[in-house]
Amino acid sequence: QLAASGPEAPSGPSPAEQDRVWAFDFPAEMGLDQVLDAYAALPEVQEVHPVDICKYYGGYLPDDPGISGSQWYLRNMNLGGGDVRAIGAWNESLGDTNVVICILDSGVDWHHPDLGGDHPDKVTGAVWTNWTEYYGSPGSDDDGNGKIDDIRGWDFVDLPFDIPNYPDQDVRDQDNDPMDYESHGTNAAGCAAAITTNSIGIAGTAPGCKIMAVRCGWLTNDGVGVVRMDFASAGMIYAAANGANIINCSWGSTSSLNNAVTTAQSAGCLVITAAGNDDSDSNISYLNSRAGVLGVAATGPSDGKADFSNYGVWVELSAPGVSMYTTAYVASTGEHTYASVDGTSFASPTACGAAALIWSANPTWPWQTVSAHLVSTCD
């Protein structure tokens, strides 16, 4: 029946090659293996292969407006310009939702449509969800980690005073709402893993990976963003204990983080930090001197060092950090928006996104291998 359904093999000496090769379509219910076996059993058939369907080499190109111009760091349209070659990377691996990047910072605007998404509870976007707490009992520590209702991270800021010029920052008590009041963490989160291919805003370096929001910083009365090391230490340990793979630290640091870094690395986390913005080769913060932590300097669209970026042999790698078009939050108006920002603070989460793609493609690798691969394949 199968043989009768197609043309008979031509007879005669030395037929042209195109006359000897035939392709057949058939109803799916017949089954590929059964059809292959039936044709292979025919004496006039020399060999049988399924017809493969392969993807274009044109590349995965998201429909987010930013990728077509504003996000030079992902797709630099200027000949000879420097970017992270995101499109080529995305054709090797899109981000895995099991890979979690902790943004340990001023918090994250998890209400932002390019981070939290359009679900009423913001659990289908780029922001990590603690499903045990989400489906648990309100007011209970359902997962037993010492934090009640930590559905999307934790706010560790707990000061004994308010900030007069910024009274609505929520600095008095730790709580389960790691909301951003300064935008620094929101900027970093967008660089790392904003929602991609949702027809709005920007693309993330690691589409599909998740952002764990952990707040350890705030704005001082004169508008300076700061991070307290005990809050950062607690946040780093929390991230490591709750499934983060990569921890981004876009701020200065001291050796009081020593135990937290050891704990995080022992738990399998890759810690990545910003090199700093002093245009110096000697102003080295603790995390940049700590073994195993990747320090990231900043480059510009021409692929040279950003004029503000720290530099030196102690820097492991560089990433774009100039005019970084990314997610933003305006606390005074409550606006979820976008902005172009500068700093190694944004080079660091971009490197986190690259590491997350490597980990997505190689989920069994330990953090040391991911780190080594990221550094060894830089240009």
Side-chain angles (χ1 to χ4, degrees):
Q1 183 180 4
L2 284 172
S5 66
E8 296 182 0
S11 60
S14 303
E17 183 66 24
Q18 61 267 30
D19 292 334
R20 299 180 63 238
V21 180
W22 299 83
F24 298 97
D25 292 305
F26 53 88
E29 58 267 21
M30 295 179 69
L32 176 60
D33 291 337
Q34 290 84 344
V35 172
L36 291 175
D37 290 343
Y39 274 108
L42 297 174
E44 64 268 35
V45 174
Q46 182 176 338
E47 56 186 20
V48 181
H49 303 284
V51 179
D52 298 313
I53 299 176
C54 300
K55 62 185 178 183
Y56 290 124
Y57 279 132
Y60 169 80
L61 187 62
D63 62 3
D64 310 82
I67 197 69
S68 297
S70 301
Q71 289 187 276
W72 70 265
Y73 56 98
L74 298 183
R75 189 189 187 207
N76 196 331
M77 302 299 288
N78 295 323
L79 193 63
D83 57 30
V84 300
R85 300 183 182 175
I87 294 176
W90 294 333
N91 279 279
E92 297 295 330
S93 171
L94 291 176
D96 190 321
T97 56
N98 292 312
V99 177
V100 179
I101 304 168
C102 171
I103 300 298
L104 184 58
D105 211 287
S106 61
V108 172
D109 176 17
W110 53 271
H111 301 279
H112 197 295
D114 230 359
L115 294 172
D118 54 9
H119 187 280
D121 296 329
K122 308 302 180 184
V123 293
T124 59
V127 178
W128 169 80
T129 301
N130 182 345
W131 294 108
T132 301
E133 291 290 347
Y134 180 73
Y135 287 116
S137 301
S140 299
D141 181 13
D142 299 284
D143 59 2
N145 69 352
K147 303 290 184 287
I148 295 174
D149 297 339
D150 55 324
I151 292 173
R152 52 192 58 86
W154 195 256
D155 175 4
F156 283 92
V157 176
D158 184 6
L159 301 177
F161 51 83
D162 290 314
I163 312 296
N165 287 349
Y166 302 93
D168 298 324
Q169 279 197 87
D170 182 28
V171 297
R172 294 301 296 268
D173 297 291
Q174 293 189 29
D175 56 57
N176 69 335
D177 184 4
M179 182 60 188
D180 191 359
Y181 297 90
E182 194 269 342
S183 196
H184 190 266
T186 300
N187 299 152
C191 292
I195 301 173
T196 304
T197 314
N198 61 344
S199 303
I200 63 169
I202 64 168
T205 304
C209 292
K210 295 296 183 178
I211 295 294
M212 180 186 290
V214 179
R215 185 181 181 220
C216 61
W218 68 97
L219 279 176
T220 64
N221 203 46
D222 55 3
V224 176
V226 294
V227 171
R228 210 170 94 173
M229 291 296 99
D230 57 339
F231 299 158
S233 179
M236 189 175 290
I237 293 171
Y238 170 88
N242 288 276
N245 302 92
I246 302 167
I247 301 175
N248 182 72
C249 306
S250 290
W251 28 263
S253 55
T254 67
S255 60
S256 58
L257 286 178
N258 176 59
N259 180 64
V261 175
T262 299
T263 300
Q265 291 178 337
S266 297
C269 294
L270 171 59
V271 180
I272 298 181
T273 190
N277 302 331
D278 308 302
D279 189 24
S280 168
D281 63 353
S282 60
N283 194 0
I284 308 171
S285 68
Y286 168 72
L287 285 178
N288 277 289
S289 66
R290 172 61 191 256
V293 175
L294 293 184
V296 186
T299 57
S302 63
D303 213 20
K305 185 186 85 70
D307 57 7
F308 55 78
S309 179
N310 286 352
Y311 58 95
V313 295
W314 49 273
V315 172
E316 277 77 27
L317 69 156
S318 300
V322 176
S323 298
M324 304 292 282
Y325 187 65
T326 183
T327 47
Y329 177 64
V330 182
S332 60
T333 62
E335 183 182 7
H336 316 292
T337 184
Y338 302 87
S340 290
V341 292
D342 299 329
T344 59
S345 284
F346 314 111
S348 181
T350 301
C352 288
L357 289 181
I358 293 171
W359 224 328
S360 296
N362 305 277
T364 63
W365 283 7
W367 69 265
Q368 295 93 334
T369 304
V370 173
S371 176
H373 189 74
L374 180 62
V375 172
S376 66
T377 56
C378 284
D379 61 5

